[in-house]
Amino acid sequence: MTKPINVLTLGPIRATQKDLEDLQADGQFHLFQINEATVEQFHSKIKDISAHHDISVVMATYSPILRRLDETTFLPLTPHLRLVAGSGAGYDNVDVDFLTKNGVYYANTPVAVSDPTATTTVMLILQTIRNYTQAAENVRKGDWVNGLPFTPNVHGLVVGIVGMGMIGKLVRDKVTALGMKVVYYNRTRLPEEEEKGATYLEFDQLLRQSRLITLHCPLTPATRHLLSDDQFAKMQDGVFIVNTARGPVIDEEALVRAMQNGKVARCGLDVYENEPKVHEYLASSNRTVLLPHYAAFVDTIFKDVETEALNNIKSWMEKGVPNTPVNDPNRA
């Protein structure tokens, strides 16, 4: 019989506690769990457990307390740690370089969050184009259509997608169904059969040709402030901007300047550069549609994310590789 592995959960388990306990009862896991009230208590418990047990796998769920997973979190667990099964598509809060150097996979959960995020993106696209905030404000004030401009017809409108991963592809499919034309930029052009009618452009070409630009790239050193003053200057006058990726992909001060000078007509945002703080101009403008990093907040999300993370653990146990790794520690 295969020796059970030691698995440590960090953060609240909201939907898969029974699944974890069943795996322990089956002899596949020895389960250790930490969910504390402060970061310091998290780190203290990690040190205590790692002093007596060799932890092979960490399953990190969304925790409002332990928001950063870095060397301080992981160092006590090395050299035995081999997999961190995280939550969510983004991993800018995780020190993946440290994990890679120490022979540890990091696996995210892109499938669970992709469709809710893509659907929210399309909602923001439509609300931004159709001037939702000002129109709703008019109704509440009793002004009806007074002062409301006509807005572009979405049919034939050119949408530029930056980042054609899982979410970008879903956004493409949804806006194409609404009659929009899609162009895209990706680090690597997709095979033609995967493009499904979308046209690949170099980044600067996309900036110039898109009436609306929507961002779906991870936050990395290379994508921080991907849109700043130089990029806004290349866009069409009256462009629309939507961001459901990560706030710092946009230079927020530059976005405000572009809105003030008319380069950007309206924007729809679910993420911000300094969350939870929102730039005063963006918060007060009726040319913005704003959400509180809310795209994945659907009633199935915790079950879906935790199940995907658990499947990453099972895949690693069976094949030595998780389903959705974002790094390759074997090449470190």
Side-chain angles (χ1 to χ4, degrees):
M1 182 176 177
T2 304
K3 181 180 178 181
I5 63 169
N6 292 333
V7 176
L8 172 64
T9 66
L10 297 178
I13 300 297
R14 299 174 175 89
T16 56
Q17 184 65 31
K18 185 177 185 304
D19 300 288
L20 290 164
E21 291 172 357
D22 286 348
L23 287 165
Q24 179 165 254
D26 288 344
Q28 298 184 52
F29 282 9
H30 281 156
L31 188 61
F32 304 87
Q33 299 190 281
I34 302 176
N35 184 30
E36 302 298 323
T38 69
V39 173
E40 292 75 20
Q41 289 172 337
F42 265 104
H43 290 160
S44 177
K45 283 290 185 69
I46 290 170
K47 289 178 181 178
D48 288 345
I49 290 173
S50 63
H52 300 95
H53 304 279
D54 297 340
I55 301 297
S56 300
V57 174
V58 166
M59 178 175 169
T61 66
Y62 171 72
S63 167
I65 308 301
L66 191 65
R67 300 180 70 89
R68 178 81 187 153
L69 301 175
D70 54 16
E71 183 174 345
T72 305
T73 309
F74 297 130
L75 185 60
L77 302 169
T78 57
H80 306 287
L81 186 63
R82 290 294 174 263
L83 168 67
V84 177
S87 299
Y91 46 90
D92 50 285
N93 64 317
V94 182
D95 192 341
V96 176
D97 288 341
F98 176 83
L99 293 176
T100 303
K101 291 173 186 175
N102 284 276
V104 183
Y105 279 107
Y106 182 79
N108 62 347
T109 57
V111 177
V113 301
S114 290
D115 194 67
T117 302
T119 299
T120 302
T121 300
V122 175
M123 180 185 76
L124 286 173
I125 287 172
L126 293 173
Q127 290 177 323
T128 300
I129 294 170
R130 292 307 316 277
N131 198 22
Y132 166 81
T133 301
Q134 187 179 355
E137 184 180 87
N138 263 33
V139 173
R140 297 180 192 281
K141 289 163 54 179
D143 290 341
W144 207 234
V145 297
N146 294 330
L148 293 179
F150 286 86
T151 66
N153 190 339
V154 300
H155 188 81
L157 186 138
V158 178
V159 173
I161 297 176
V162 178
M164 193 64 97
M166 194 172 296
I167 295 172
K169 289 175 183 176
L170 287 168
V171 171
R172 172 203 60 197
D173 296 344
K174 293 172 189 289
V175 300
T176 299
L178 294 169
M180 300 182 206
K181 178 182 177 182
V182 173
V183 298
Y184 78 97
Y185 169 75
N186 202 50
R187 285 177 298 175
T188 304
R189 181 173 181 173
L190 298 179
E192 186 175 351
E193 62 272 16
E194 291 184 28
E195 291 183 320
K196 294 186 179 180
T199 301
Y200 176 81
L201 297 177
E202 293 298 332
F203 185 54
D204 282 358
Q205 291 178 299
L206 181 143
L207 297 179
R208 293 186 175 97
Q209 295 187 27
S210 303
R211 186 67 194 277
L212 181 144
I213 296 170
T214 179
L215 299 171
H216 302 288
C217 51
L219 177 61
T220 67
T223 62
R224 182 175 293 273
H225 287 188
L226 184 67
L227 298 188
S228 193
D229 291 299
D230 289 347
Q231 290 72 41
F232 286 119
K234 296 172 183 176
M235 298 177 192
Q236 299 178 18
D237 291 340
V239 71
F240 304 114
I241 302 292
V242 169
N243 188 12
T244 57
R246 286 291 186 267
V249 173
I250 298 179
D251 179 347
E252 215 160 80
E253 293 290 348
L255 172 61
V256 169
R257 288 190 288 273
M259 294 189 71
Q260 289 172 330
N261 67 28
K263 174 61 73 169
V264 173
R266 290 186 287 278
C267 66
L269 305 173
D270 185 46
V271 290
Y272 308 90
E273 188 163 5
N274 299 296
E275 293 180 13
K277 183 180 178 182
V278 179
H279 193 289
E280 183 179 354
Y281 179 87
L282 299 174
S284 62
S285 174
N286 64 6
R287 295 191 291 133
T288 61
V289 183
L290 307 179
L291 295 175
H293 207 146
Y294 191 61
F297 276 49
V298 295
D299 58 6
T300 58
I301 194 63
F302 291 125
K303 176 67 173 176
D304 293 344
V305 165
E306 289 177 18
T307 299
E308 190 172 354
L310 199 52
N311 286 338
N312 272 319
I313 297 172
K314 292 176 181 178
S315 175
W316 175 81
M317 291 172 65
E318 294 168 5
K319 300 180 293 187
V321 181
N323 292 323
T324 54
V326 304
N327 66 333
D328 185 353
N330 298 313
R331 292 186 178 182

